[in-house]
Amino acid sequence: MIRRRQRWTGAYAGLICVLVVSGVVACGRDTAHILNILRAESGETIERLPLSPGDEFTLEYVHSVSLTAVQGDFRLNEDGRIEALATRFLAFGPGLPWTPGTEHQTDSEGRIVVYHTDDTREELLLWVSELTRETVIYRDVRIPLYTAGGAYERIIIRAEPAQAHTR
């Protein structure tokens, strides 16, 4: 009888150890990220947004040739990388996605929609200016990336684990 209790006690202790270790590993896993928006030259932070895998954000700008609005939709994937989802625009122009010989879908606003299956990215590197008015939209927050005065500058948008920013 005593040996049976010892076996069950050992089994319970083993089960508790497995549950505790599993809990520590699950809690220690880093699923939260910070979307850092930085000025490339100075490293100055424009904005830091908390993101979790599956969260989406949008980059809007005015195309410098056609002077029409362009919208790019992105998602943070499970690996913390940025995944392009779709680009929406009213008129074709240099730099916009187009595949010769394919039909293009349009949305309810008459914009051409191109869905992406590209590889994911560690970061987005952009040229921004007051002329093209690049703006990141996350939920209901609009974050202009350009500064007044018309000068072009490079911006980096990069997702990093949130733990890297708590030190």
Side-chain angles (χ1 to χ4, degrees):
M1 183 72 119
I2 292 177
R3 283 190 176 175
R4 185 179 287 171
R5 276 192 209 155
Q6 287 175 339
R7 262 190 280 183
W8 283 109
T9 302
Y12 284 132
L15 177 63
I16 289 170
C17 284
V18 168
L19 291 174
V20 168
V21 169
S22 297
V24 168
V25 168
C27 290
R29 217 175 343 165
D30 188 17
T31 56
H33 289 77
I34 299 294
L35 188 70
N36 287 307
I37 304 171
L38 312 162
R39 297 190 192 292
E41 189 172 314
S42 67
E44 173 192 350
T45 298
I46 296 171
E47 189 66 59
R48 294 176 63 224
L49 300 169
L51 290 181
S52 294
D55 284 353
E56 296 180 10
F57 66 94
T58 297
L59 174 64
E60 285 185 348
Y61 65 95
V62 175
H63 193 275
S64 62
V65 176
S66 65
L67 300 180
T68 58
V70 177
Q71 177 183 327
D73 298 321
F74 299 88
R75 174 175 46 219
L76 185 69
N77 75 6
E78 293 296 322
D79 297 329
R81 294 172 58 91
I82 298 170
E83 179 179 283
L85 300 175
T87 304
R88 293 174 170 77
F89 49 94
L90 288 169
F92 286 105
L96 292 173
W98 178 64
T99 305
T102 61
E103 277 190 43
H104 298 283
Q105 297 179 8
T106 57
D107 65 11
S108 61
E109 297 175 33
R111 299 178 298 180
I112 298 161
V113 181
V114 176
Y115 294 98
H116 300 285
T117 57
D118 303 353
D119 291 332
T120 58
R121 297 164 176 84
E122 293 287 331
E123 64 185 24
L124 303 175
L125 183 58
L126 317 168
W127 282 102
V128 303
S129 77
E130 187 176 28
L131 170 70
T132 50
R133 298 191 301 271
E134 289 79 4
T135 302
V136 167
I137 302 161
Y138 176 62
R139 297 185 176 156
D140 293 331
V141 178
R142 296 182 65 83
I143 303 152
L145 305 182
Y146 56 93
T147 55
Y152 282 90
E153 69 178 315
R154 287 168 44 120
I155 301 294
I156 299 168
I157 300 174
R158 172 189 307 137
E160 297 175 357
Q163 287 180 337
H165 297 280
T166 58
R167 293 179 198 157

